[in-house]
Amino acid sequence: MAADKLKDGLRNAVKRIVNANHIDKTLVDEVVKDLQRTMIEADMNVLLAKKLTEKLRERALTEKPPAGMTSREHVIRIIHEEFVGILGDGAEIELKPQTIMMVGLYGNGKTTTCGKLAAYFQKRGLRTALIAGDTHRPAAYEQLEQVAEEAGVPVYGSPDAKKAPQVVRKGMERFKDYDIIIIDTSGRHSLEKELIKEIKYIKRVANPDEIILTIDATVGQQAGPQAKAFHDAVGVTKTIITKLDGSAKGGGALSAVAATDAPVIFVGTGERIRDMESFEPTRFISRLLGMGDLKGLLEKAEEVVDEEKAEKTAKKMLAGEFDLKDMYEQMEMLAGVGPLQKIMDMLPLGGGRISEEEMLDTQHKLKAFRVIMDSMTEWEMENPDSIKRERVSRIARGSGKSPKDIKDLLSHYKKAKKAIKGFSGNRKMRKQIMKQLEEGKLNF
Ligand SMILES: Nc1nc2c(ncn2[C@@H]2O[C@H](COP(=O)(O)OP(=O)(O)O)[C@@H](O)[C@H]2O)c(=O)[nH]1
Ligand SMILES: [Mg+2]
């Protein structure tokens, strides 16, 4: 199967690098050639495979490993980064009123994912409803009804309905006051003409904002062509990879993403309604590369990354850039001794020793903030200043908190940001901290 091939090929490349006496041009060339063959055999787009491996080769031959990392670890890290690059930075579905149509072959997880998505939106304060557009399988309606109940949203349809487009038309009418409408469709075992005709018809009736392709991670070779066929028929805008919890590590999904260019927004990691995760290209590629098995080897590499991350956060803070994610991270670190405490320690007397009591209070707040932040999008976390009235009430609805709680969080954030700006505005101190950071004296 393609997924296994890709996985094996990647792992062999990694193994070769690990076992090499030293990294030289011959080895890099061989590994790159192997990788290219593996990718093409695994049904990946040839141009994509070429582009990726060329970049890999160039980086492996020219870049120097950062301090504390061997050249072996460095090359593996480059492979990892370049594969992550194909998948982009991870995309999100917008939290705005919209109609979503699900497509995918039979058994790929459309109905299950309808429920997961409905729960996702509902939790974030958007009124959500489902339409049963699969009129082919007798049990399809009941299955959707069941996931709708779990998500706490209404469903339109009937077990006896025969014409899917008609059901969809009526459902759209029924739910016209809802924020989010998600349409389940039927799948069949293959892409028959009838199926294509039907989903095109449903698309015309519903005029969806997003058409989400669910693709089963265990589908190997056919993933690319399947995705392309759906894309050609209706234009896929987003992808959800399902069953990533299974044994196959989803190599075929890479081809699917390459075939449609529709970014992956979530992955399904189980049958239950809560088994859906935001898609993180980094984690996905780590699984594919078998990073788990390589843990020992890469531990050092990861430490370097962690240090870099801590350093980046500190620098960002000093530059006065600071978002909700940073704030949360910092609050988490307050339990131990994190960069904030270290920097605080360098401040003149009274600069900010954090008392036991404050720490407990912080932990308490953290819990409440976590719940609220779960109802926010990534974008909102990164742009907290843009969270105004409507967003405040939506987040309050989704998290089951009061608008005042949301405002408290935002005001806490503003205070933290101001404090940081305050001392980063002190040029002398800032220079001193920066210098220490650069000289590596300030270790986190
Ligand atoms: N392990 C696992 N099973 C899943 C996942 N998503 C769906 N399934 C299962 O796959 C089967 C088919 O799913 P279904 O939603 O009916 O697919 P549909 O035919 O496309 O609507 C069901 O048994 C689901 O429970 C997932 O992410 N992980
Ligand atoms: Mg279904």
Side-chain angles (χ1 to χ4, degrees), residues 104-113 116 137 143 184 214 242-245 268-271 275:
L105 284 189
Y106 176 75
N108 272 227
K110 288 180 298 301
T111 307
T112 311
T113 309
K116 293 176 179 178
R137 277 176 50 244
Q143 193 195 348
D184 192 18
T214 56
T242 61
K243 308 187 196 179
L244 210 53
D245 50 309
T269 52
E271 302 194 10
D275 298 332

Side-chain angles (χ1 to χ4, degrees), residues 103-171:
V103 296
L105 284 189
Y106 176 75
N108 272 227
K110 288 180 298 301
T111 307
T112 311
T113 309
C114 279
K116 293 176 179 178
L117 277 175
Y120 176 85
F121 285 116
Q122 189 77 6
K123 189 176 166 194
R124 281 163 184 74
L126 291 158
R127 282 184 78 212
T128 305
L130 290 167
I131 299 179
D134 178 357
T135 50
H136 289 268
R137 277 176 50 244
Y141 175 79
E142 276 92 356
Q143 193 195 348
L144 191 69
E145 202 176 32
Q146 198 185 334
V147 298
E149 196 184 321
E150 273 179 70
V153 307
V155 58
Y156 181 82
S158 123
D160 313 313
K162 290 279 176 294
K163 295 193 172 114
Q166 226 170 62
V167 174
V168 172
R169 180 173 290 128
K170 284 189 189 152

Side-chain angles (χ1 to χ4, degrees), residues 15-226:
K15 240 186 253 158
R16 246 179 120 153
I17 296 164
V18 173
N19 294 330
N21 285 328
H22 60 281
I23 307 283
D24 57 10
K25 188 171 172 298
T26 319
L27 179 84
V28 170
D29 280 342
E30 278 171 20
V31 168
V32 161
K33 229 161 80 202
D34 280 354
L35 278 176
Q36 214 176 65
R37 189 176 336 115
T38 297
M39 284 153 73
I40 292 169
E41 274 173 10
D43 212 22
M44 266 179 74
N45 181 296
V46 178
L47 278 177
L48 184 82
K50 275 221 164 104
K51 215 169 101 191
L52 186 110
T53 44
E54 263 154 33
K55 178 111 178 278
L56 249 168
R57 182 171 176 278
E58 148 134 26
R59 286 190 62 192
L61 293 176
T62 57
E63 276 180 26
K64 287 229 168 347
M69 203 188 268
T70 67
S71 41
R72 273 188 200 83
E73 291 158 349
H74 185 227
V75 173
I76 294 171
R77 197 173 148 204
I78 292 175
I79 296 178
H80 185 264
E81 281 176 5
E82 287 305 321
F83 271 87
V84 170
I86 311 180
L87 295 163
D89 290 335
E92 271 193 74
I93 189 139
E94 272 187 89
L95 280 190
K96 58 161 197 210
Q98 57 185 316
T99 302
I100 296 168
M101 173 175 167
M102 307 297 290
V103 296
L105 284 189
Y106 176 75
N108 272 227
K110 288 180 298 301
T111 307
T112 311
T113 309
C114 279
K116 293 176 179 178
L117 277 175
Y120 176 85
F121 285 116
Q122 189 77 6
K123 189 176 166 194
R124 281 163 184 74
L126 291 158
R127 282 184 78 212
T128 305
L130 290 167
I131 299 179
D134 178 357
T135 50
H136 289 268
R137 277 176 50 244
Y141 175 79
E142 276 92 356
Q143 193 195 348
L144 191 69
E145 202 176 32
Q146 198 185 334
V147 298
E149 196 184 321
E150 273 179 70
V153 307
V155 58
Y156 181 82
S158 123
D160 313 313
K162 290 279 176 294
K163 295 193 172 114
Q166 226 170 62
V167 174
V168 172
R169 180 173 290 128
K170 284 189 189 152
M172 296 290 295
E173 181 56 30
R174 164 80 60 92
F175 295 133
K176 64 177 188 296
D177 295 330
Y178 278 70
D179 299 319
I180 305 280
I181 297 178
I182 302 170
I183 304 167
D184 192 18
T185 63
S186 84
R188 326 288 160 85
H189 289 284
S190 63
L191 272 161
E192 298 156 17
K193 272 209 190 91
E194 279 303 302
L195 171 63
I196 294 290
K197 215 166 107 186
E198 184 174 288
I199 58 174
K200 276 184 166 169
Y201 195 179
I202 293 178
K203 181 187 173 183
R204 264 210 311 280
V205 170
N207 190 21
D209 303 279
E210 299 276 6
I211 297 185
I212 300 181
L213 173 72
T214 56
I215 196 114
D216 183 334
T218 61
V219 176
Q221 289 285 351
Q222 312 92 338
Q226 249 181 43

Side-chain angles (χ1 to χ4, degrees), residues 67 307 311 315 346 430-444:
E307 262 173 43
E311 201 177 305
K315 278 190 178 162
M346 297 178 71
R430 186 168 149 195
K431 242 171 116 179
Q432 192 189 337
I433 297 173
M434 281 297 217
K435 194 160 159 253
Q436 295 218 16
L437 268 177
E438 260 139 39
E439 287 170 356
K441 281 192 195 144
L442 198 64
N443 289 320
F444 298 122

Side-chain angles (χ1 to χ4, degrees), residues 117-377:
L117 277 175
Y120 176 85
F121 285 116
Q122 189 77 6
K123 189 176 166 194
R124 281 163 184 74
L126 291 158
R127 282 184 78 212
T128 305
L130 290 167
I131 299 179
D134 178 357
T135 50
H136 289 268
R137 277 176 50 244
Y141 175 79
E142 276 92 356
Q143 193 195 348
L144 191 69
E145 202 176 32
Q146 198 185 334
V147 298
E149 196 184 321
E150 273 179 70
V153 307
V155 58
Y156 181 82
S158 123
D160 313 313
K162 290 279 176 294
K163 295 193 172 114
Q166 226 170 62
V167 174
V168 172
R169 180 173 290 128
K170 284 189 189 152
M172 296 290 295
E173 181 56 30
R174 164 80 60 92
F175 295 133
K176 64 177 188 296
D177 295 330
Y178 278 70
D179 299 319
I180 305 280
I181 297 178
I182 302 170
I183 304 167
D184 192 18
T185 63
S186 84
R188 326 288 160 85
H189 289 284
S190 63
L191 272 161
E192 298 156 17
K193 272 209 190 91
E194 279 303 302
L195 171 63
I196 294 290
K197 215 166 107 186
E198 184 174 288
I199 58 174
K200 276 184 166 169
Y201 195 179
I202 293 178
K203 181 187 173 183
R204 264 210 311 280
V205 170
N207 190 21
D209 303 279
E210 299 276 6
I211 297 185
I212 300 181
L213 173 72
T214 56
I215 196 114
D216 183 334
T218 61
V219 176
Q221 289 285 351
Q222 312 92 338
Q226 249 181 43
K228 191 172 179 313
F230 275 109
H231 193 50
D232 291 345
V234 287
V236 172
T237 61
K238 298 276 189 307
T239 311
I240 294 180
I241 302 172
T242 61
K243 308 187 196 179
L244 210 53
D245 50 309
S247 56
K249 299 287 196 273
L254 277 177
S255 324
V257 177
T260 61
D261 248 345
V264 182
I265 46 170
F266 293 110
V267 293
T269 52
E271 302 194 10
R272 294 160 310 176
I273 200 147
R274 59 174 176 278
D275 298 332
M276 184 173 84
E277 293 172 11
S278 290
F279 180 65
E280 282 175 44
T282 312
R283 208 190 310 157
F284 177 75
I285 297 297
S286 299
R287 283 189 204 180
L288 205 62
L289 284 173
M291 295 299 231
D293 313 340
L294 287 165
K295 216 165 178 248
L297 170 82
L298 283 162
E299 235 153 48
K300 220 198 220 149
E302 273 158 18
E303 266 168 34
V304 174
V305 176
D306 273 357
E307 262 173 43
E308 276 173 8
K309 199 175 141 204
E311 201 177 305
K312 216 170 103 192
T313 312
K315 278 190 178 162
K316 246 174 93 180
M317 279 169 56
L318 291 172
E321 289 166 27
F322 183 70
D323 63 20
L324 275 177
K325 281 197 237 164
D326 298 326
M327 181 175 88
Y328 189 79
E329 238 170 59
Q330 239 94 80
M331 286 172 75
E332 261 184 332
M333 284 193 265
L334 285 186
V337 181
L340 188 58
Q341 182 65 70
K342 284 210 173 177
I343 291 168
M344 292 264 195
D345 280 348
M346 297 178 71
L347 297 175
L349 264 179
R353 212 45 243 170
I354 291 154
S355 71
E356 194 81 5
E357 210 173 298
E358 278 173 312
M359 249 185 235
L360 275 178
D361 186 41
T362 302
Q363 280 164 358
H364 202 72
K365 277 202 184 105
L366 259 177
K367 261 196 204 143
F369 285 5
R370 177 83 267 170
V371 174
I372 294 173
M373 279 150 90
D374 272 347
S375 286
M376 292 182 180
T377 60

